[in-house]
């Protein structure tokens, strides 16, 4: 043991597969730094396995820096990328007003084109707090099946491109548009009529959507998870969804003020439902929740009071 300890007196004495395993705990920025240490570390830090899933959310990147990073570091080994933009809500402590920083941009059509060309195996694309007003949906990598655009600013009608294109280009199974506050009924119609393979759809905080407009979600027969908290969802919409979307396992209706006890009768009939979120649904009574749990013993209900099980 003593002789082994002597031979492994330095980090570089470790086998390369062990060093590679240690490098997997480093962030992209740290990997770029250690590449400068020596040729050996540069070669190991460039291993494709380290660049399959890239999380850049902890870094503030402008469009130029992100574009340079994509061109210099990423390749066809990339399957997942997560980015956070510079769109932030800032409160003036004196005037108590909220404003949006719209000047800085994190993403552009040119950057997305580079990403699409260099990373043809990209499946998971996530960007949050980004201004997408000058970016076209058509520029996004079409290899993506999970698209997460949370707290992003995009113009009304942004998704209408889907209706005017070859619908086979995008085959999304997971779409998260939480807090996309300019999303309209027309946008949702374009999504639901052209991305019918969706299994997960999150529209939390999309308050411009109407109950009638959201009825188009009945086209999504493969839907397993639906989150529509803080929207204008109503009992009639829930009725249509429960009739058409029989595969639903997770349904979040939190803070939907227009739903009441009547909708729980329809929800109880969903054969595979495991979870329903009812936080902030003031018009739904405890007695109705109790009846729901009695009818369907598999359901977990998250309400204002607690998590309830059947």
């Amino acid at each position: 043991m003593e002789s082994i300890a002597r031979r492994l007196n330095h980090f570089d004495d470790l086998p390369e597969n062990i060093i590679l395993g240690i490098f997997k705990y480093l962030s992209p920025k740290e990997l770029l730094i250690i590449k400068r240490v020596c040729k050996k570390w540069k070669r190991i830090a460039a291993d494709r396995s380290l660049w399959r899933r890239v999380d850049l959310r902890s870094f503030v990147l402008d469009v130029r820096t992100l574009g340079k990073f994509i061109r210099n570091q990423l390749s066809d080994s990339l399957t997942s990328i997560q980015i956070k933009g510079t769109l932030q809500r800032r409160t003036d402590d004196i005037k108590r007003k909220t404003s949006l920083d719209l000047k800085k941009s994190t993403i552009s059509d040119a950057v997305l084109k580079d990403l699409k060309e260099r990373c043809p195996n990209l499946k998971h694309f996530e960007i949050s707090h980004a201004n997408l007003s000058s970016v076209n949906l058509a520029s996004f990598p079409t290899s993506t099946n999970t698209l997460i655009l949370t707290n992003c600013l995009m113009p009304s009608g942004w998704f209408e491109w889907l209706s005017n294109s070859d619908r086979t280009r995008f085959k999304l199974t997971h779409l998260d548009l939480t807090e996309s506050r300019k999303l309209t009924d027309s946008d949702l119609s374009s999504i639901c009529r052209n991305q019918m393979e969706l299994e997960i759809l999150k529209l939390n905080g999309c308050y411009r959507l109407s109950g009638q407009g959201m009825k188009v979600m009945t086209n999504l027969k493969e839907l397993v998870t639906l989150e529509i908290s803080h929207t204008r969802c109503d009992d009639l919409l829930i009725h249509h969804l429960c009739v058409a979307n029989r595969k639903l396992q997770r349904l979040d209706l939190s803070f939907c003020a227009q739903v009441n006890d009547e909708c729980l009768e329809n929800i109880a009939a969903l054969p595979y439902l495991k979870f329903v979120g009812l936080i902030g649904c003031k018009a739904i009574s405890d007695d109705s929740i109790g009846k729901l749990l009695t009818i369907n013993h598999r359901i977990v209900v998250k309400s204002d009071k607690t998590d309830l099980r059947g």
Side-chain angles (χ1 to χ4, degrees):
M1 292 294 293
E2 184 178 353
S3 60
I4 295 177
R6 288 176 180 173
R7 289 199 300 269
L8 298 180
N9 198 28
H10 300 286
F11 184 85
D12 274 349
D13 292 332
L14 292 171
E16 288 195 7
N17 63 316
I18 301 297
I19 298 176
L20 178 62
I22 295 172
F23 283 3
K24 288 181 179 180
Y25 291 94
L26 302 180
S27 70
K29 183 177 182 179
E30 291 166 336
L31 287 173
L32 294 179
I33 292 173
I34 65 172
K35 273 188 170 185
R36 304 172 185 173
V37 173
C38 63
K39 291 182 178 179
K40 179 179 179 180
W41 284 23
K42 181 178 180 179
R43 175 169 49 79
I44 298 175
D47 190 274
R48 291 166 60 88
S49 66
L50 298 176
W51 299 97
R52 288 174 184 160
R53 291 174 291 276
V54 175
D55 187 350
L56 301 173
R57 290 175 296 178
S58 59
F59 310 106
V60 179
L61 302 175
D62 58 29
V63 64
R64 182 177 180 181
T65 304
L66 179 61
K68 184 177 179 180
F69 174 81
I70 290 173
R71 290 189 297 272
N72 293 341
Q73 303 301 327
L74 302 184
S75 67
D76 59 359
S77 64
L78 184 74
T79 60
S80 171
I81 188 168
Q82 297 167 287
I83 305 167
K84 184 176 181 180
T86 57
L87 186 64
Q88 300 286 350
R89 292 190 176 275
R90 301 180 298 178
T91 303
D92 186 325
D93 292 332
I94 299 176
K95 297 182 180 180
R96 300 295 178 184
K97 293 182 179 180
T98 301
S99 62
L100 290 174
D101 182 2
L102 301 178
K103 296 180 180 180
K104 296 181 180 179
S105 178
T106 301
I107 202 81
S108 68
D109 287 329
V111 167
L112 289 170
K113 181 181 178 181
D114 285 339
L115 187 64
K116 183 188 298 186
E117 292 177 352
R118 294 188 59 82
C119 309
N121 298 313
L122 181 64
K123 300 299 182 184
H124 179 113
F125 187 100
E126 177 177 346
I127 184 167
S128 65
H129 300 89
N131 183 2
L132 303 179
S133 299
S134 60
V135 178
N136 294 311
L137 178 60
S139 300
F140 278 73
T142 53
S143 59
T144 303
N145 55 34
T146 296
L147 184 60
I148 300 176
L149 307 174
T150 57
N151 292 280
C152 288
L153 180 64
M154 56 193 74
S156 299
W158 198 65
F159 284 94
E160 292 181 8
W161 170 81
L162 291 172
S163 300
N164 302 319
S165 65
D166 180 359
R167 69 180 62 184
T168 62
R169 293 188 65 193
F170 269 110
K171 292 186 177 180
L172 298 175
T173 58
H174 181 163
L175 179 62
D176 187 349
L177 300 175
T178 295
E179 297 294 335
S180 296
R181 299 183 179 184
K182 287 195 174 183
L183 192 75
T184 65
D185 289 345
S186 177
D187 285 311
L188 184 59
S189 178
S190 297
I191 293 168
C192 294
R193 296 185 188 283
N194 295 282
Q195 297 297 312
M196 299 175 66
E197 299 85 3
L198 278 171
E199 299 175 8
I200 299 174
L201 180 60
K202 299 181 181 181
L203 302 172
N204 304 303
C206 298
Y207 63 84
R208 293 177 185 265
L209 299 176
S210 67
Q212 180 63 28
M214 286 190 283
K215 185 180 175 182
V216 72
M217 293 187 295
T218 56
N219 287 347
L220 306 177
K221 306 301 183 183
E222 302 301 316
L223 207 58
V224 173
T225 295
L226 177 62
E227 296 183 9
I228 48 176
S229 65
H230 293 276
T231 65
R232 290 187 282 164
C233 165
D234 54 30
D235 288 340
L236 181 59
L237 172 63
I238 297 302
H239 167 74
H240 290 304
L241 291 175
C242 291
V243 170
N245 305 89
R246 304 294 290 173
K247 293 184 179 182
L248 277 174
Q249 297 181 23
R250 180 182 177 89
L251 178 63
D252 193 349
L253 306 175
S254 298
F255 299 99
C256 291
Q258 299 181 47
V259 298
N260 56 44
D261 291 344
E262 183 181 342
C263 76
L264 295 189
E265 298 179 10
N266 295 306
I267 290 174
L270 289 170
Y272 304 108
L273 193 66
K274 298 177 182 179
F275 172 87
V276 58
L278 298 173
I279 296 175
C281 297
K282 304 298 184 182
I284 294 181
S285 66
D286 293 340
D287 289 343
S288 294
I289 293 177
K291 291 179 182 178
L292 170 64
L293 296 173
T294 301
I295 296 172
N296 194 329
H297 299 286
R298 297 184 303 273
I299 296 180
V300 174
V301 177
K302 191 167 186 177
S303 64
D304 288 317
K305 292 186 176 180
T306 185
D307 292 356
L308 303 174
R309 297 177 181 270

